[in-house]
Amino acid sequence: MKAPRAGTTENISVSMPAELISELRSRTGRRGLSGYITEAVRHQLAMDGLAEIVASHEEEHGALTEQEIETARRELFGEGHSVDAERGAA
């Protein structure tokens, strides 16, 4: 008997371009496809939430400055992940 999975899952049907599915399967194998897609959706939902936060802030306070963006980038990704560091790597 299989061990129960954490949380409740539901099967859905999703249509995607065949070449995208082929590339996904080559990276994940058949058994890893659901996990990969689940993590991609979680990531996209987090990015959508972040975009909503930024839009709300900008609506109330105006556009973010480069300094505010750089500060947020450092807080999220660390000191070595600044725009200047990325430019140096390019």
Side-chain angles (χ1 to χ4, degrees):
M1 188 162 103
K2 288 184 179 180
R5 292 186 196 182
T8 302
T9 61
E10 182 178 337
N11 289 329
I12 63 169
S13 176
V14 177
S15 298
M16 287 196 267
E19 66 274 5
L20 184 58
I21 293 170
S22 178
E23 185 174 348
L24 279 168
R25 285 189 174 137
S26 72
R27 290 180 181 269
T28 66
R30 270 189 159 336
R31 298 186 64 77
L33 193 60
S34 289
Y36 190 94
I37 292 171
T38 297
E39 289 309 309
V41 170
R42 278 192 179 118
H43 176 79
Q44 186 60 52
L45 290 170
M47 293 299 98
D48 292 350
L50 182 57
E52 290 168 3
I53 290 168
V54 169
S56 174
H57 176 86
E58 288 185 333
E59 186 176 309
E60 187 174 336
H61 303 286
L64 292 168
T65 66
E66 287 299 320
Q67 183 178 2
E68 289 171 322
I69 293 169
E70 186 62 26
T71 299
R73 183 177 284 117
R74 284 191 180 120
E75 286 182 25
L76 288 169
F77 303 113
E79 288 296 320
H81 210 85
S82 68
V83 170
D84 293 333
E86 289 175 11
R87 285 183 187 138

